[in-house]
Coordinates of all heavy atoms in Angstrom, one line a residue:
M1 N 0.8 -1.1 0.0 CA 0.0 -0.1 0.0 C 0.9 1.2 0.0 O 1.9 1.3 0.6 CB -0.9 0.0 1.2 CG -1.9 1.1 1.3 SD -3.1 0.7 2.5 CE -3.8 2.3 2.7
A2 N 0.5 2.2 -0.8 CA 1.3 3.5 -0.9 C 1.3 4.3 0.4 O 0.2 4.3 1.1 CB 0.8 4.4 -2.0
D3 N 2.3 4.9 0.8 CA 2.4 5.7 2.0 C 2.3 7.2 1.5 O 3.2 7.7 0.8 CB 3.7 5.5 2.7 CG 3.9 6.4 4.0 OD1 2.9 7.0 4.4 OD2 4.9 6.4 4.5
Y4 N 1.3 7.9 1.8 CA 1.1 9.3 1.4 C 1.4 10.3 2.4 O 1.2 11.5 2.2 CB -0.4 9.4 0.8 CG -0.8 8.5 -0.2 CD1 -1.6 7.5 0.0 CD2 -0.3 8.9 -1.5 CE1 -2.0 6.7 -1.1 CE2 -0.7 8.1 -2.6 CZ -1.5 7.0 -2.4 OH -1.8 6.2 -3.5
S5 N 2.0 9.9 3.5 CA 2.5 10.9 4.4 C 3.7 11.6 4.0 O 4.6 11.1 3.3 CB 2.7 10.2 5.8 OG 3.8 9.3 5.6
F6 N 3.8 12.9 4.5 CA 5.0 13.7 4.2 C 5.0 14.8 5.2 O 4.0 15.1 5.9 CB 5.0 14.3 2.7 CG 3.9 15.3 2.5 CD1 4.1 16.6 2.6 CD2 2.6 14.8 2.2 CE1 3.0 17.5 2.5 CE2 1.6 15.7 1.9 CZ 1.8 17.0 2.1
D7 N 6.2 15.4 5.4 CA 6.3 16.5 6.2 C 6.9 17.7 5.5 O 7.7 17.5 4.5 CB 7.5 16.2 7.4 CG 6.8 15.2 8.3 OD1 5.7 15.3 8.6 OD2 7.6 14.4 8.8
V8 N 6.5 18.9 5.9 CA 7.0 20.1 5.2 C 7.6 21.0 6.3 O 6.8 21.2 7.3 CB 5.9 20.9 4.4 CG1 6.4 22.2 3.9 CG2 5.3 20.0 3.3
D9 N 8.9 21.3 6.2 CA 9.4 22.2 7.2 C 9.2 23.6 6.7 O 9.9 24.2 5.9 CB 11.0 21.8 7.2 CG 11.7 22.6 8.3 OD1 11.1 23.6 8.9 OD2 12.8 22.2 8.7
L10 N 8.1 24.2 7.3 CA 7.8 25.6 6.9 C 8.9 26.6 7.2 O 9.2 27.4 6.3 CB 6.5 26.0 7.5 CG 5.2 25.3 7.2 CD1 4.0 25.7 8.0 CD2 5.0 25.5 5.7
G11 N 9.6 26.4 8.3 CA 10.7 27.2 8.7 C 11.8 27.2 7.5 O 12.4 28.3 7.2
A12 N 12.1 26.1 7.1 CA 13.1 25.8 6.1 C 12.7 26.5 4.7 O 13.5 27.2 4.1 CB 13.5 24.4 5.8
L13 N 11.4 26.4 4.3 CA 10.9 27.0 3.2 C 11.0 28.5 3.2 O 11.5 29.2 2.3 CB 9.5 26.5 2.8 CG 9.2 25.2 2.4 CD1 7.8 25.0 2.2 CD2 10.0 25.0 1.1
V14 N 10.6 29.1 4.4 CA 10.6 30.5 4.6 C 12.0 31.0 4.5 O 12.4 32.0 4.0 CB 9.9 30.9 5.9 CG1 10.1 32.4 6.2 CG2 8.4 30.7 5.8
A15 N 13.0 30.3 5.3 CA 14.4 30.7 5.3 C 14.9 30.6 3.9 O 15.8 31.6 3.5 CB 15.1 29.8 6.3
A16 N 14.7 29.6 3.2 CA 15.2 29.6 1.8 C 14.6 30.7 0.9 O 15.5 31.4 0.2 CB 14.8 28.2 1.1
S17 N 13.4 31.0 1.1 CA 12.9 32.1 0.3 C 13.5 33.4 0.7 O 14.0 34.3 -0.2 CB 11.4 32.2 0.5 OG 10.8 33.3 -0.2
R18 N 13.7 33.7 1.9 CA 14.3 34.9 2.5 C 15.8 35.0 2.0 O 16.3 36.0 1.7 CB 14.2 35.0 4.0 CG 12.8 35.3 4.4 CD 12.7 35.5 5.9 NE 11.3 35.8 6.3 CZ 10.8 35.6 7.5 NH1 11.6 35.2 8.5 NH2 9.6 35.9 7.8
G19 N 16.4 33.8 2.1 CA 17.9 33.8 1.8 C 18.1 34.1 0.3 O 19.0 34.9 -0.1
M20 N 17.2 33.6 -0.6 CA 17.3 33.9 -2.0 C 17.1 35.4 -2.2 O 17.7 36.0 -3.1 CB 16.3 33.1 -2.8 CG 16.8 31.6 -3.0 SD 15.7 30.7 -4.1 CE 14.6 30.0 -2.9
S21 N 16.0 35.9 -1.5 CA 15.7 37.3 -1.7 C 16.9 38.2 -1.3 O 17.2 39.2 -1.9 CB 14.5 37.7 -0.9 OG 13.4 37.0 -1.4
S22 N 17.6 37.9 -0.2 CA 18.7 38.6 0.3 C 19.9 38.5 -0.7 O 20.5 39.5 -1.0 CB 19.2 38.1 1.6 OG 18.3 38.3 2.6
A23 N 20.1 37.3 -1.3 CA 21.1 37.2 -2.3 C 20.8 38.1 -3.5 O 21.7 38.7 -4.1 CB 21.3 35.7 -2.7
I24 N 19.6 38.1 -3.9 CA 19.2 38.9 -5.1 C 19.5 40.4 -4.8 O 20.0 41.1 -5.7 CB 17.7 38.7 -5.4 CG1 17.4 37.3 -6.0 CG2 17.2 39.7 -6.3 CD1 16.0 36.9 -6.0
E25 N 19.2 40.8 -3.6 CA 19.4 42.2 -3.3 C 21.0 42.6 -3.4 O 21.3 43.6 -3.8 CB 18.8 42.6 -1.9 CG 17.3 42.6 -1.9 CD 16.8 43.4 -3.0 OE1 17.1 44.6 -3.3 OE2 15.8 43.0 -3.7
L26 N 21.7 41.7 -2.9 CA 23.2 41.8 -3.0 C 23.7 41.8 -4.4 O 24.5 42.7 -4.8 CB 23.9 40.7 -2.3 CG 23.8 40.6 -0.7 CD1 24.4 39.4 -0.1 CD2 24.5 42.0 -0.1
M27 N 23.1 41.0 -5.3 CA 23.5 40.9 -6.6 C 23.1 42.2 -7.4 O 23.7 42.7 -8.3 CB 22.9 39.7 -7.3 CG 23.6 38.4 -6.8 SD 22.7 37.0 -7.4 CE 23.5 36.8 -9.1
R28 N 21.9 42.7 -7.0 CA 21.4 44.0 -7.6 C 22.2 45.2 -7.2 O 22.2 46.2 -7.9 CB 19.9 44.2 -7.3 CG 19.0 43.2 -8.1 CD 17.6 43.5 -7.9 NE 16.7 42.7 -8.7 CZ 15.5 42.2 -8.3 NH1 15.0 42.6 -7.1 NH2 14.9 41.5 -9.2
A29 N 22.8 45.1 -6.0 CA 23.6 46.3 -5.5 C 24.8 46.5 -6.3 O 25.4 47.6 -6.2 CB 23.8 46.0 -4.0
K30 N 25.3 45.5 -6.9 CA 26.7 45.5 -7.5 C 26.5 45.3 -9.1 O 25.6 44.5 -9.4 CB 27.6 44.4 -7.1 CG 28.2 44.7 -5.7 CD 29.3 45.6 -5.8 CE 30.0 45.7 -4.5 NZ 31.0 46.8 -4.4
D31 N 27.1 46.1 -9.9 CA 27.1 45.9 -11.3 C 28.3 45.0 -11.6 O 29.4 45.1 -11.0 CB 27.3 47.2 -11.9 CG 26.4 47.4 -13.2 OD1 25.5 46.6 -13.4 OD2 26.6 48.4 -14.0
V32 N 28.2 44.2 -12.7 CA 29.3 43.3 -13.1 C 30.4 44.3 -13.5 O 31.6 43.9 -13.2 CB 28.9 42.5 -14.3 CG1 30.1 41.7 -14.9 CG2 27.9 41.4 -13.9
A33 N 30.2 45.4 -14.0 CA 31.3 46.3 -14.5 C 32.1 46.8 -13.3 O 33.3 47.1 -13.5 CB 30.7 47.5 -15.3
D34 N 31.5 46.8 -12.1 CA 32.2 47.3 -11.0 C 33.2 46.2 -10.5 O 34.2 46.6 -9.8 CB 31.2 47.4 -9.7 CG 30.2 48.5 -10.0 OD1 30.5 49.4 -10.9 OD2 29.1 48.4 -9.3
L35 N 33.2 45.0 -11.0 CA 34.2 43.9 -10.6 C 35.3 43.8 -11.6 O 36.2 43.0 -11.3 CB 33.3 42.6 -10.5 CG 32.1 42.7 -9.6 CD1 31.4 41.4 -9.7 CD2 32.5 42.8 -8.1
V36 N 35.2 44.5 -12.7 CA 36.3 44.3 -13.7 C 37.1 45.5 -13.7 O 36.6 46.7 -13.5 CB 35.5 44.2 -15.1 CG1 36.5 44.0 -16.2 CG2 34.6 43.0 -15.1
P37 N 38.5 45.4 -13.9 CA 39.3 46.6 -14.0 C 38.9 47.4 -15.1 O 38.3 47.1 -16.1 CB 40.7 45.9 -14.3 CG 40.5 44.4 -14.1 CD 39.1 44.2 -14.2
D38 N 39.3 48.7 -15.0 CA 38.9 49.8 -16.0 C 39.9 49.5 -17.2 O 40.8 48.8 -17.2 CB 39.0 51.2 -15.5 CG 40.4 51.6 -15.1 OD1 41.3 50.8 -15.1 OD2 40.6 52.7 -14.6
G39 N 39.5 50.2 -18.3 CA 40.3 50.1 -19.5 C 41.8 50.2 -19.4 O 42.5 49.6 -20.1
A40 N 42.1 51.4 -18.7 CA 43.4 51.7 -18.5 C 44.3 50.6 -17.8 O 45.4 50.4 -18.3 CB 43.6 53.0 -17.7
A41 N 43.7 49.9 -16.9 CA 44.3 48.8 -16.2 C 44.5 47.6 -17.2 O 45.4 46.8 -16.9 CB 43.6 48.4 -15.0
L42 N 43.7 47.5 -18.2 CA 43.8 46.3 -19.0 C 44.8 46.5 -20.2 O 45.3 45.6 -20.7 CB 42.4 46.0 -19.7 CG 41.3 45.6 -18.8 CD1 39.9 45.6 -19.4 CD2 41.7 44.3 -18.0
G43 N 45.2 47.8 -20.4 CA 46.3 48.0 -21.4 C 45.9 47.9 -22.8 O 45.6 48.8 -23.5
H44 N 46.0 46.7 -23.4 CA 45.9 46.5 -24.8 C 44.4 46.6 -25.3 O 43.5 46.1 -24.6 CB 46.5 45.1 -25.1 CG 46.8 44.8 -26.5 ND1 45.9 44.4 -27.5 CD2 48.0 45.1 -27.3 CE1 46.5 44.3 -28.6 NE2 47.7 44.7 -28.5
D45 N 44.3 47.1 -26.5 CA 43.0 47.2 -27.0 C 42.2 45.9 -27.2 O 41.0 45.9 -26.9 CB 43.0 48.0 -28.4 CG 43.3 49.5 -28.3 OD1 43.1 50.0 -27.2 OD2 43.7 50.1 -29.3
A46 N 43.0 44.9 -27.6 CA 42.3 43.6 -27.8 C 41.8 43.1 -26.5 O 40.7 42.4 -26.4 CB 43.3 42.6 -28.4
V47 N 42.5 43.3 -25.4 CA 42.1 42.8 -24.0 C 40.9 43.6 -23.6 O 39.9 43.0 -23.1 CB 43.3 42.9 -23.0 CG1 42.8 42.6 -21.6 CG2 44.4 41.9 -23.4
R48 N 40.9 44.9 -23.8 CA 39.8 45.8 -23.5 C 38.6 45.4 -24.3 O 37.5 45.2 -23.7 CB 40.1 47.3 -23.7 CG 41.0 47.9 -22.6 CD 40.9 49.4 -22.8 NE 41.7 49.9 -24.0 CZ 43.0 50.2 -24.1 NH1 43.7 50.2 -22.9 NH2 43.6 50.5 -25.2
S49 N 38.7 45.1 -25.5 CA 37.6 44.7 -26.3 C 37.0 43.4 -25.9 O 35.8 43.1 -25.7 CB 38.0 44.6 -27.8 OG 36.9 44.1 -28.6
A50 N 37.9 42.4 -25.7 CA 37.4 41.0 -25.2 C 36.8 41.1 -23.8 O 35.7 40.5 -23.6 CB 38.6 40.1 -25.1
T51 N 37.3 41.9 -23.0 CA 36.8 42.1 -21.7 C 35.4 42.8 -21.7 O 34.6 42.4 -21.0 CB 37.7 43.0 -20.7 OG1 39.0 42.3 -20.7 CG2 37.2 43.2 -19.4
A52 N 35.2 43.8 -22.6 CA 34.0 44.4 -22.8 C 32.9 43.4 -23.3 O 31.7 43.4 -22.7 CB 34.0 45.6 -23.8
V53 N 33.3 42.6 -24.1 CA 32.3 41.5 -24.6 C 31.9 40.6 -23.5 O 30.8 40.2 -23.4 CB 32.9 40.8 -25.9 CG1 32.0 39.5 -26.2 CG2 33.0 41.7 -27.1
F54 N 33.0 40.2 -22.8 CA 32.8 39.3 -21.7 C 31.8 39.9 -20.6 O 30.9 39.3 -20.2 CB 34.2 38.9 -21.0 CG 33.9 38.1 -19.8 CD1 33.6 36.7 -19.8 CD2 34.1 38.6 -18.6 CE1 33.4 35.9 -18.7 CE2 34.0 37.9 -17.4 CZ 33.7 36.6 -17.4
V55 N 32.1 41.1 -20.3 CA 31.3 41.9 -19.2 C 29.9 42.0 -19.7 O 29.0 41.7 -18.9 CB 31.9 43.2 -18.9 CG1 30.9 44.1 -18.1 CG2 33.2 43.1 -18.2
E56 N 29.7 42.3 -20.9 CA 28.3 42.4 -21.4 C 27.6 41.0 -21.4 O 26.3 41.0 -20.9 CB 28.4 42.9 -23.0 CG 27.0 43.2 -23.6 CD 26.3 42.1 -24.2 OE1 27.0 41.2 -24.7 OE2 25.0 42.0 -24.2
R57 N 28.2 39.9 -21.7 CA 27.5 38.6 -21.7 C 27.4 38.2 -20.2 O 26.3 37.6 -19.9 CB 28.5 37.6 -22.4 CG 28.3 37.8 -23.9 CD 29.3 36.7 -24.5 NE 29.1 36.9 -26.0 CZ 29.8 36.0 -26.8 NH1 30.7 35.1 -26.4 NH2 29.9 36.3 -28.1
W58 N 28.3 38.5 -19.4 CA 28.2 38.2 -18.0 C 27.0 38.9 -17.3 O 26.2 38.5 -16.6 CB 29.6 38.5 -17.4 CG 29.7 38.2 -15.8 CD1 28.9 37.3 -15.2 CD2 30.8 38.5 -15.0 NE1 29.4 37.1 -13.8 CE2 30.6 37.9 -13.7 CE3 31.9 39.3 -15.1 CZ2 31.4 38.1 -12.7 CZ3 32.7 39.5 -14.1 CH2 32.5 38.9 -12.8
E59 N 27.0 40.3 -17.6 CA 25.9 41.1 -17.2 C 24.5 40.6 -17.6 O 23.6 40.4 -16.8 CB 26.1 42.6 -17.7 CG 25.0 43.5 -17.1 CD 25.3 43.9 -15.6 OE1 26.5 44.1 -15.2 OE2 24.4 43.7 -14.8
R60 N 24.4 40.1 -18.7 CA 23.2 39.5 -19.4 C 22.8 38.2 -18.6 O 21.7 38.0 -18.2 CB 23.3 39.2 -20.8 CG 22.0 39.1 -21.6 CD 22.1 39.0 -23.1 NE 23.3 39.5 -23.7 CZ 23.9 38.9 -24.6 NH1 23.5 37.7 -25.0 NH2 25.1 39.4 -25.1
G61 N 23.8 37.5 -18.4 CA 23.6 36.2 -17.7 C 23.2 36.4 -16.2 O 22.3 35.7 -15.6
I62 N 23.9 37.3 -15.6 CA 23.5 37.6 -14.2 C 22.1 38.2 -14.0 O 21.4 37.8 -13.2 CB 24.5 38.6 -13.6 CG1 25.9 38.0 -13.3 CG2 24.1 39.2 -12.2 CD1 25.9 36.9 -12.4
T63 N 21.7 39.1 -15.0 CA 20.4 39.7 -15.0 C 19.3 38.5 -15.2 O 18.4 38.5 -14.4 CB 20.2 40.7 -16.1 OG1 21.2 41.7 -15.9 CG2 18.8 41.3 -16.2
T64 N 19.6 37.5 -16.1 CA 18.7 36.5 -16.2 C 18.6 35.7 -14.9 O 17.5 35.2 -14.5 CB 19.1 35.7 -17.4 OG1 19.1 36.5 -18.6 CG2 18.1 34.5 -17.7
L65 N 19.8 35.4 -14.4 CA 19.8 34.6 -13.2 C 19.1 35.3 -12.0 O 18.3 34.6 -11.4 CB 21.3 34.3 -12.7 CG 21.5 33.5 -11.4 CD1 21.0 32.1 -11.6 CD2 22.9 33.5 -11.1
V66 N 19.2 36.5 -11.9 CA 18.5 37.3 -10.8 C 17.0 37.2 -11.0 O 16.2 37.0 -10.1 CB 19.0 38.7 -10.7 CG1 18.1 39.6 -9.8 CG2 20.4 38.9 -10.2
Q67 N 16.6 37.4 -12.2 CA 15.2 37.2 -12.5 C 14.6 35.8 -12.2 O 13.6 35.8 -11.6 CB 14.9 37.5 -14.0 CG 15.2 39.0 -14.4 CD 15.1 39.2 -15.9 OE1 15.1 38.3 -16.7 NE2 15.1 40.5 -16.3
D68 N 15.3 34.8 -12.5 CA 14.9 33.4 -12.3 C 14.9 33.2 -10.8 O 13.9 32.6 -10.3 CB 15.8 32.5 -13.0 CG 15.6 32.5 -14.4 OD1 14.6 33.0 -14.9 OD2 16.5 31.8 -15.2
V69 N 16.0 33.6 -10.1 CA 16.0 33.4 -8.6 C 14.9 34.2 -7.9 O 14.3 33.8 -6.9 CB 17.4 33.7 -8.1 CG1 17.4 33.6 -6.5 CG2 18.4 32.7 -8.6
D70 N 14.7 35.4 -8.4 CA 13.5 36.3 -7.8 C 12.2 35.5 -7.9 O 11.4 35.5 -7.0 CB 13.5 37.6 -8.5 CG 12.7 38.6 -7.8 OD1 12.6 38.6 -6.6 OD2 12.2 39.6 -8.5
E71 N 11.9 35.0 -9.1 CA 10.7 34.3 -9.3 C 10.7 33.0 -8.4 O 9.6 32.7 -7.8 CB 10.6 33.8 -10.8 CG 9.4 33.1 -11.2 CD 8.1 33.8 -11.1 OE1 8.1 35.0 -11.1 OE2 7.0 33.2 -11.0
L72 N 11.8 32.3 -8.3 CA 11.8 31.1 -7.5 C 11.6 31.5 -6.0 O 10.8 30.8 -5.3 CB 13.2 30.4 -7.6 CG 13.4 29.2 -6.8 CD1 12.4 28.1 -7.2 CD2 14.8 28.6 -7.1
A73 N 12.2 32.6 -5.6 CA 12.0 32.9 -4.1 C 10.5 33.3 -3.9 O 10.0 33.0 -2.8 CB 12.9 34.2 -3.8
G74 N 9.9 34.1 -4.8 CA 8.5 34.4 -4.6 C 7.6 33.2 -4.6 O 6.7 33.0 -3.8
R75 N 7.9 32.2 -5.4 CA 7.1 31.1 -5.6 C 7.3 30.2 -4.3 O 6.3 29.6 -3.7 CB 7.4 30.3 -6.8 CG 6.8 30.8 -8.0 CD 7.1 30.1 -9.2 NE 6.6 30.7 -10.4 CZ 5.8 30.2 -11.4 NH1 5.6 28.9 -11.2 NH2 5.6 30.9 -12.4
L76 N 8.5 30.1 -3.8 CA 8.7 29.3 -2.6 C 8.1 29.9 -1.4 O 7.5 29.2 -0.6 CB 10.3 29.3 -2.4 CG 10.8 28.2 -1.4 CD1 10.3 26.8 -1.9 CD2 12.3 28.2 -1.4
G77 N 8.1 31.3 -1.4 CA 7.4 32.0 -0.3 C 5.8 31.7 -0.3 O 5.3 31.4 0.7
R78 N 5.2 31.7 -1.6 CA 3.9 31.4 -1.8 C 3.6 29.9 -1.3 O 2.6 29.6 -0.7 CB 3.4 31.6 -3.1 CG 3.2 33.2 -3.4 CD 2.6 33.5 -4.7 NE 3.4 33.1 -5.8 CZ 4.4 33.8 -6.4 NH1 4.8 34.9 -5.8 NH2 4.9 33.4 -7.4
V79 N 4.4 29.0 -1.7 CA 4.3 27.6 -1.3 C 4.3 27.5 0.3 O 3.4 26.8 0.8 CB 5.3 26.7 -1.8 CG1 5.4 25.3 -1.2 CG2 5.2 26.5 -3.4
A80 N 5.1 28.2 1.0 CA 5.2 28.1 2.4 C 3.9 28.7 3.0 O 3.3 28.1 3.9 CB 6.4 28.9 2.9
M81 N 3.4 29.8 2.5 CA 2.1 30.3 2.9 C 1.0 29.4 2.6 O 0.1 29.3 3.5 CB 1.9 31.7 2.2 CG 2.7 32.8 2.6 SD 2.6 34.5 1.9 CE 1.2 34.4 0.8
N82 N 1.0 28.7 1.5 CA -0.1 27.8 1.2 C -0.1 26.6 2.2 O -1.2 26.2 2.7 CB 0.0 27.2 -0.2 CG -0.4 28.3 -1.2 OD1 -1.0 29.3 -1.0 ND2 0.1 28.1 -2.5
Y83 N 1.1 26.1 2.5 CA 1.2 25.0 3.5 C 0.7 25.5 4.9 O 0.1 24.8 5.6 CB 2.6 24.6 3.5 CG 2.9 23.4 2.5 CD1 4.0 23.5 1.6 CD2 2.2 22.2 2.5 CE1 4.2 22.5 0.7 CE2 2.4 21.2 1.6 CZ 3.5 21.4 0.7 OH 3.7 20.4 -0.2
A84 N 1.2 26.7 5.3 CA 0.8 27.2 6.5 C -0.8 27.5 6.6 O -1.4 27.0 7.6 CB 1.4 28.6 6.8
D85 N -1.4 27.9 5.5 CA -2.9 28.0 5.4 C -3.5 26.7 5.6 O -4.5 26.5 6.3 CB -3.3 28.7 4.2 CG -2.9 30.2 4.2 OD1 -2.5 30.8 5.3 OD2 -2.9 30.8 3.1
L86 N -3.0 25.8 4.9 CA -3.6 24.3 4.9 C -3.4 23.7 6.3 O -4.3 23.1 6.8 CB -2.8 23.4 3.9 CG -3.4 22.1 3.7 CD1 -4.8 22.0 3.3 CD2 -2.4 21.3 2.8
D87 N -2.3 24.0 6.9 CA -2.0 23.5 8.2 C -3.0 24.1 9.3 O -3.6 23.4 10.1 CB -0.6 23.8 8.7 CG -0.2 23.0 9.9 OD1 -0.5 21.9 10.1 OD2 0.4 23.6 10.8
T88 N -3.3 25.4 9.1 CA -4.3 26.1 10.0 C -5.6 25.6 9.7 O -6.4 25.4 10.7 CB -4.2 27.6 9.7 OG1 -2.8 28.1 10.0 CG2 -5.2 28.4 10.6
A89 N -6.0 25.3 8.5 CA -7.3 24.9 8.2 C -7.5 23.5 8.7 O -8.6 23.1 9.2 CB -7.6 24.9 6.7
G90 N -6.5 22.6 8.6 CA -6.6 21.2 9.1 C -6.7 21.2 10.6 O -7.5 20.5 11.1
Q91 N -6.0 22.1 11.2 CA -6.1 22.1 12.7 C -7.5 22.6 13.1 O -8.0 22.0 14.1 CB -5.0 23.2 13.2 CG -5.0 23.1 14.7 CD -3.8 24.1 15.2 OE1 -3.2 24.7 14.5 NE2 -3.6 24.0 16.5
S92 N -8.1 23.6 12.5 CA -9.3 24.1 12.8 C -10.4 22.9 12.5 O -11.3 22.7 13.3 CB -9.7 25.2 11.9 OG -8.9 26.3 12.1
A93 N -10.3 22.2 11.5 CA -11.2 21.1 11.1 C -11.2 20.0 12.2 O -12.1 19.5 12.6 CB -10.9 20.5 9.7
I94 N -9.9 19.6 12.5 CA -9.7 18.6 13.6 C -10.3 19.1 15.0 O -11.0 18.3 15.8 CB -8.2 18.1 13.8 CG1 -7.9 17.4 12.4 CG2 -8.0 17.3 15.0 CD1 -6.4 17.0 12.3
S95 N -10.1 20.3 15.3 CA -10.7 20.9 16.6 C -12.2 20.8 16.6 O -12.8 20.5 17.6 CB -10.2 22.3 16.8 OG -8.8 22.4 17.0
A96 N -12.8 21.1 15.3 CA -14.2 21.0 15.3 C -14.7 19.7 15.5 O -15.8 19.4 16.2 CB -14.7 21.7 14.0
V97 N -14.1 18.7 14.8 CA -14.6 17.3 14.9 C -14.2 16.8 16.4 O -15.2 16.1 17.0 CB -13.7 16.4 13.9 CG1 -13.9 14.9 14.3 CG2 -14.0 16.7 12.5
T98 N -13.2 17.2 17.1 CA -12.9 16.9 18.4 C -14.1 17.4 19.3 O -14.5 16.7 20.2 CB -11.6 17.4 18.9 OG1 -10.6 16.9 18.1 CG2 -11.3 17.1 20.4
A99 N -14.5 18.6 19.1 CA -15.5 19.2 19.9 C -16.9 18.5 19.6 O -17.6 18.2 20.6 CB -15.7 20.6 19.5
D100 N -17.1 18.1 18.4 CA -18.3 17.3 18.0 C -18.3 16.0 18.7 O -19.3 15.4 19.3 CB -18.5 17.1 16.6 CG -18.8 18.3 15.9 OD1 -19.3 19.3 16.5 OD2 -18.7 18.4 14.6
V101 N -17.2 15.3 18.8 CA -17.1 14.0 19.4 C -17.2 14.1 20.9 O -17.9 13.3 21.6 CB -15.7 13.3 19.1 CG1 -15.4 12.1 19.9 CG2 -15.7 13.0 17.6
R102 N -16.7 15.2 21.4 CA -16.8 15.3 22.9 C -18.2 15.6 23.3 O -18.8 15.4 24.4 CB -15.9 16.5 23.4 CG -14.4 16.0 23.5 CD -13.6 17.2 24.1 NE -12.2 16.7 24.1 CZ -11.2 17.5 24.0 NH1 -11.3 18.7 23.7 NH2 -9.9 16.9 24.0
A103 N -18.9 16.2 22.4 CA -20.4 16.5 22.7 C -21.3 15.3 22.6 O -22.5 15.3 23.0 CB -20.9 17.6 21.7
V104 N -20.9 14.3 21.9 CA -21.7 13.1 21.9 C -21.8 12.4 23.3 O -20.9 12.2 24.0 CB -21.1 12.0 20.9 CG1 -21.8 10.7 20.9 CG2 -21.0 12.6 19.5
R105 N -23.1 12.1 23.6 CA -23.4 11.5 24.8 C -23.8 10.0 24.6 O -24.8 9.8 23.8 CB -24.5 12.2 25.7 CG -24.1 13.6 26.0 CD -23.1 13.7 27.0 NE -22.7 15.0 27.4 CZ -21.4 15.4 27.5 NH1 -20.5 14.5 27.4 NH2 -21.2 16.6 27.7
V106 N -23.3 9.1 25.2 CA -23.6 7.7 25.1 C -24.5 7.4 26.2 O -24.3 7.7 27.3 CB -22.3 6.8 25.1 CG1 -22.7 5.3 25.0 CG2 -21.4 7.2 24.1
M107 N -25.7 6.9 25.8 CA -26.7 6.5 26.8 C -26.3 5.2 27.6 O -25.8 4.2 27.0 CB -28.1 6.4 26.1 CG -28.5 7.6 25.5 SD -30.1 7.4 24.5 CE -31.0 6.2 25.3
A108 N -26.5 5.3 28.8 CA -26.2 4.1 29.7 C -27.4 3.2 29.5 O -28.5 3.5 29.4 CB -26.0 4.5 31.1
P109 N -27.1 1.8 29.6 CA -28.2 0.8 29.4 C -29.1 0.7 30.6 O -28.9 1.1 31.6 CB -27.4 -0.4 29.1 CG -26.0 -0.3 29.5 CD -25.8 1.3 29.7

């Protein structure tokens, strides 16, 4: 028989979502160009040109990565909220059933 039980660590989901959001903010605070030496430090025109192409591609890749991680962080946060809502609803339903069961009076013979 299949076992359908599972556990969700809501704290871990929330922490992961917040961690990704923090990383995104750090990535947005720095530009890739800030990490590369300026043209004078590179010296040769061919090196400057190759570096400029690399920086442009790197920037595009980082921008795409940030967008993807931002979407993932948002979805992970929504998943955590959905699980928390489901947990609350389940707890309320079980409490209602418990109250109903306690209200049942068994007649003595």
